[in-house]
Amino acid sequence: MDAFSDPSVERVVVMSSAQVGKTSVLENVIGFFIDYDPSPIMVVEPTIEVGKSFSKDRLAPMLRDTPCLTRKVADVKSRDSGNTVNHKVFYGGHITIAGANSAASLRGRSIRIALADDIDAFPSSAGTEGDPVSLIGKRTTTFWNRKIGLFSTPTDEGLSKIEAEYLKSDRRKYYVPCVHCGEFQIFTFDNVKWPKSEPSKAQYECPFCKGMITDNDKARMILRGEWRKQAPEVKRIAGFWINELYSPWVTFAQVAEKFYASKDDPQTLKVWTNTSLGESWKQVIVSRTSDNLFKARCALNPQTVPMEAVALTCGIDQQMAGYWFVVRAWAANMTSWLIHYGFLPTEEDLDALVFSTQYPVEDGSRSMSIWRAARDTGGTRGKEQDTSMTEAAYWWIVKNQGRGPALFGTKGASANQGTRFKVGEPLMQTPSGKTLPQWFRIITIDTDVMKDYFHYGLDQAIAQGPNALYLHAETGEDYIRQITAEEKRVNKKGVAEWVRLRRDNHLLDGEILCISLAQPQWVGGGVNLLRRPAVPGIPGGNVRPMKRRVISQGVM
């Protein structure tokens, strides 16, 4: 608030975690200028619809319940045409609610106070007219005493609008004094400590004196804190960063529990990093080399199951010439090992793999068969002239239901579907209209998300971390070439996307199916629910997590 009333500051940038009072600051800025310094104000939300919600749910109650504002702005239900949901007039100024997705709503008015909320959710262009943040700034050009406020939780590193704006500011952070030694510091998650596997007991450790700081101590520290500039040479742009550890409504333990629940999945960890730490997600733009990926190999022989495995999954990518496949073993803690991959020329060979193959456990005590198998249903022409590859997949899945492993038909999502896996409507016919003897459902997979998960798991295998996706000891260049047939790159619009470099990516597709079958979000739950091998009649004990020696040098 001080920065918004400081005549030497033109632009205020607030990069923060969620739920730390960011929107309340925006509301107070509006109230201040309506009451003390009436001016033309514009509030820009990501969309017109979000702007209407802000006006109804946040702005209208503030104007109604604050006595000094109530008498200055007429109620929207009155006959005063100067007060609508998106435009309110008051003595000396007005407030307009706009959407960053609408160039029309950003045009036509000169604005002294421009407030842009959640700018990382803004589209890259307002229609065809360019960057919404730049357009907002243009509206203030004619005012010498303009104020521009930018608010948001960050998203991806290098792509985050709010992070880019914050880095151009004087970069203020809130320093608080330790209750034990008095040293000033910023709250960082690295200093949140808890007993092993008990994040509910988390406290904050002072990095200077190693004293433990409780939530009650935090409240006293914040009262005595102060904002300090990291780049004092920058003038006219005040930037503020704060995370959830400062929040009076969230305990250290609650932040730790959120981390503990999200740490093993890159998608949930990204959300936690953005919304709890107020930091951008350091997105890895994936471009792999064989030397690097061979470091994910372990000492497990091919076609051998590690002792801690509870299930085997199989992904099948069908082509006109035959079937590419991948088989993975899974522990209940989501650690996985590639045990088999290759190409099969005939459906008879595929049947033998899926329904008859028994893989020995490495101690020789037992064997395991495939628990779940997924077959891609894409494709056009099949081997038979009157049957497409899609129809062949339908018939294979339906006729073999109940024969052994659970069988699933899948396809890749053509656009963001908002969830990893989407179950389709029951299918009773093939695409050509032939009636199936029984219905089944196609599961659509967000392959972009699962490719992120796959490469995250390979990195975890190299680092021997949780959720590792290991490769067996004899994994060769043929496998590596296919799983590196796609790279993640940033396109011209600044959006990260997977780009196909080579035609043969069949083993990558097989891996995506294999991994999907094991996920907790899959139909019927994931391998995390299993504690014994998932094949009836095969003996096995409880799973005990076990670290595996990794072969970190090149090809054996």
Side-chain angles (χ1 to χ4, degrees), residues 43 56 141 145 168 185 187 316 324 446 488 543 546:
V43 177
K56 293 176 181 178
T141 301
N145 56 348
K168 291 186 288 188
Q185 59 197 279
F187 281 141
I316 305 157
W324 291 91
D446 188 331
K488 194 167 192 179
V543 175
M546 184 172 78

Side-chain angles (χ1 to χ4, degrees), residues 503-523:
R503 181 178 179 181
D504 290 342
N505 64 347
H506 315 304
L507 292 177
L508 174 61
D509 290 344
E511 282 281 21
I512 297 309
L513 297 180
C514 248
I515 294 166
S516 297
L517 290 167
Q519 298 301 302
Q521 300 89 346
W522 192 260
V523 178

Side-chain angles (χ1 to χ4, degrees), residues 300 304-306 309-313 327-331 335-339:
L300 183 70
T304 304
V305 180
V310 296
L312 307 182
T313 61
V327 179
R328 276 193 166 272
W330 294 87
T335 299
S336 178
W337 300 263
L338 173 69
I339 65 168

Side-chain angles (χ1 to χ4, degrees), residues 3-14:
F4 276 102
S5 58
D6 184 344
S8 68
V9 174
E10 178 180 297
R11 181 173 293 223
V12 179
V13 180
V14 180

Side-chain angles (χ1 to χ4, degrees), residues 450-511:
M450 297 312 297
K451 287 169 190 172
D452 289 344
Y453 185 97
F454 175 55
H455 283 277
Y456 172 82
L458 292 175
D459 287 336
Q460 292 295 91
I462 293 169
Q464 297 194 61
N467 283 41
L469 300 177
Y470 292 105
L471 310 180
H472 67 62
E474 296 181 17
T475 303
E477 283 281 1
D478 55 338
Y479 170 89
I480 299 298
R481 183 169 176 78
Q482 289 207 24
I483 68 166
T484 57
E486 296 184 25
E487 285 186 353
K488 194 167 192 179
R489 298 175 176 176
V490 176
N491 65 21
K492 293 180 180 179
K493 295 182 179 179
V495 177
E497 62 181 6
W498 285 94
V499 177
R500 192 164 176 173
L501 306 180
R502 293 184 291 276
R503 181 178 179 181
D504 290 342
N505 64 347
H506 315 304
L507 292 177
L508 174 61
D509 290 344
E511 282 281 21

Side-chain angles (χ1 to χ4, degrees), residues 190-298:
D190 288 344
N191 295 317
V192 178
K193 309 293 183 181
W194 61 87
K196 185 177 181 180
S197 302
E198 294 185 281
S200 61
K201 297 181 180 180
Q203 291 185 319
Y204 193 89
E205 181 183 82
C206 173
F208 298 100
C209 70
K210 304 302 179 183
M212 300 309 295
I213 295 168
T214 67
D215 293 297
N216 289 334
D217 295 329
K218 176 173 74 171
R220 288 185 288 142
M221 292 168 67
I222 290 173
L223 286 174
R224 295 166 56 200
E226 59 187 38
W227 289 101
R228 294 183 179 179
K229 300 176 183 180
Q230 312 298 302
E233 70 279 5
V234 176
K235 308 300 180 185
R236 302 189 67 76
I237 307 176
F240 299 86
W241 170 85
I242 198 166
N243 64 32
E244 195 174 42
L245 293 171
Y246 291 88
S247 174
W249 306 291
V250 180
T251 64
F252 294 133
Q254 287 171 332
V255 177
E257 287 173 329
K258 290 178 186 177
F259 165 76
Y260 203 76
S262 65
K263 65 183 177 66
D264 293 335
D265 187 307
Q267 295 300 313
T268 56
L269 185 59
K270 173 183 176 179
V271 173
W272 177 82
T273 301
N274 295 157
T275 61
S276 289
L277 297 189
E279 296 175 1
S280 61
W281 173 252
K282 293 173 176 58
Q283 181 169 259
V284 177
I285 305 304
V286 178
S287 179
R288 298 288 195 176
T289 65
S290 57
D291 288 345
N292 176 259
L293 285 174
F294 278 131
K295 295 177 183 178
R297 295 189 306 176
C298 67

